[in-house]
Amino acid sequence: MDDPGVVHTVAINFAHRIALVGNEFTTINGPVDPAKNDGETILTEGGGPRRTEGLGRITSATANTVFDPTGLPNPNAFINGALPENYGVAIVSGRGAGQTRRVTSFAAGRISVARAWDVLPDSSSRYATAVWGLEKALIKGNNLTYNTRGIWLYSTAVQDIDIVDNTLVENGGILVRSFQDVGNNWFSPVLNVRIAGNTLSNTTRRYPSYVSIYFANLDGLASIGTSHIGVEVRRNALTANNPNIDSTRFDTPATKEGYMNFMFVSTSRYEANSTPRLLGTIMQGNTCNHCATAFRLGTGAVGTMLIGNELLNSGGLWSDTAVPNSGESALATWVR
């Protein structure tokens, strides 16, 4: 990729059963200007402004259906009048939360799914629908250099993703972001993402080194469900700039150097609630070199496990920061 007009090196949207393995991604005439609000090396963002998400509340369910009398599919989800194979529904709160299924039809408020529910949803349940931005995918053994951002799963529904054994040197980091915008009926669940064995190193103070798992609450309303379930961050080696740089000038607040797991609120208002947003994230066997704080947890993180991580030339192992004006801390954090 030649710099000066670089936008994204590789964009993979609405893809499933895909492998991106053993590639070299660098920038001729680079590195890319770190002040650009762009420059993802590998990006999935669910079509950008052309969203496919929908939200609803279940009134009743059978083994292979759920019913919402006011529910409508997002028209952007259709291809030539039909739903694609990778159109899915996730139960994001209430009974049956955490289950996902492929949608075979959605009409007159009735959603039919390809496989029976393990736990039958009921009137306490809320659901999110979307064409999966990325599903059943492997991103492995790639080398990334001289791009502002690294591997970003950004504001899109994803499930069953392995990001393993990649090397990011003088390059942005790894980010897995979901979001909520109730006014537009949007919520993007993230399920079963594994980030393991990657090497991230920045020493020239150009780009930050980070592995960031976060939920963006765009409306400040009470969270309608759990955004992240089954995220594993294991055996990654991260070297930060010394001293750490403040990347929030050009990037999101979730790209400080180190590892992150929390919710960020984009508005001045905030309605607190007890719904876990990032549930059961496992961060195990990672190293952090020259990190002011290695693991930054915060509002919305519940049941985070920090196990056997190692600090090298670093400050604190972990911190817990509440969203401004909320008073909510991370809950049930387990450190060993």
Side-chain angles (χ1 to χ4, degrees):
M1 178 68 70
D2 194 357
D3 172 29
V6 66
V7 180
H8 317 308
T9 305
V10 175
I12 43 178
N13 292 317
F14 305 128
H16 63 152
R17 305 189 185 106
I18 187 172
L20 194 64
V21 178
N23 299 282
E24 189 84 25
F25 297 111
T26 190
T27 304
I28 300 169
N29 298 327
V32 176
D33 181 355
K36 287 186 177 180
N37 183 25
D38 218 328
E40 292 86 353
T41 318
I42 301 171
L43 171 70
T44 184
E45 59 176 344
R50 189 175 174 82
R51 310 305 312 178
T52 66
E53 288 87 357
L55 274 176
R57 188 182 297 276
I58 294 168
T59 60
S60 62
T62 67
N64 287 83
T65 67
V66 292
F67 183 63
D68 171 10
T70 63
L72 294 170
N74 188 322
N76 290 335
F78 290 88
I79 300 174
N80 297 325
L83 292 173
E85 182 183 346
N86 56 334
Y87 185 68
V89 59
I91 309 302
V92 297
S93 65
R95 180 174 170 81
Q99 298 178 100
T100 68
R101 293 293 186 272
R102 184 171 70 85
V103 175
T104 57
S105 67
F106 189 172
R110 189 170 302 281
I111 303 173
S112 299
V113 297
R115 182 167 58 89
W117 301 106
D118 296 319
V119 177
L120 198 66
D122 63 16
S123 58
S124 70
S125 309
R126 297 197 70 168
Y127 68 87
T129 55
V131 179
W132 293 102
L134 194 61
E135 180 187 25
K136 296 180 174 63
L138 173 65
I139 301 172
K140 180 179 181 179
N142 301 286
N143 295 322
L144 288 65
T145 54
Y146 298 147
N147 286 286
T148 310
R149 298 168 180 172
I151 301 169
W152 277 34
L153 311 183
Y154 186 80
S155 295
T156 186
V158 298
Q159 70 170 347
D160 302 329
I161 312 298
D162 284 339
I163 302 172
V164 296
D165 300 334
N166 300 284
T167 301
L168 295 79
V169 175
E170 299 308 325
N171 203 92
I174 298 171
L175 182 142
V176 181
R177 178 191 196 260
S178 70
F179 81 115
Q180 167 183 301
D181 185 341
V182 174
N184 283 307
N185 237 27
W186 295 341
F187 187 90
S188 60
V190 170
L191 298 107
N192 304 326
V193 174
R194 186 168 67 104
I195 302 169
N198 301 284
T199 299
L200 304 94
S201 178
N202 283 284
T203 60
T204 62
R205 305 186 57 76
R206 183 179 294 111
Y207 307 126
S209 297
Y210 56 86
V211 176
S212 178
I213 315 300
Y214 90 111
F215 171 56
N217 186 325
L218 302 184
D219 48 37
L221 299 175
S223 301
I224 61 94
T226 300
S227 62
H228 292 69
I229 299 176
V231 177
E232 301 178 18
V233 181
R234 301 181 190 265
R235 302 183 307 280
N236 300 283
L238 187 152
T239 298
N241 294 279
N242 184 26
N244 293 177
I245 63 172
D246 179 8
S247 63
T248 60
R249 293 171 296 170
F250 311 120
D251 254 327
T252 76
T255 55
K256 294 182 179 179
E257 300 208 72
Y259 301 85
M260 281 145 281
N261 188 49
F262 62 87
M263 178 179 72
F264 172 72
V265 178
S266 299
T267 65
S268 57
R269 69 174 180 176
Y270 175 62
E271 296 179 15
N273 72 325
S274 59
T275 301
R277 276 125 289 181
L278 305 101
L279 180 61
T281 303
I282 299 172
M283 296 178 158
Q284 181 180 22
N286 304 284
T287 62
C288 209
N289 188 15
H290 293 303
C291 296
T293 301
F295 296 88
R296 300 174 190 269
L297 311 183
T299 303
V302 176
T304 307
M305 302 182 73
L306 303 178
I307 309 169
N309 299 292
E310 183 180 1
L311 299 184
L312 305 170
N313 308 304
S314 294
L317 176 64
W318 69 292
S319 65
D320 182 3
T321 304
V323 169
N325 304 316
S326 77
E328 289 182 69
S329 299
L331 299 176
T333 303
W334 195 75
V335 183
R336 180 178 176 182

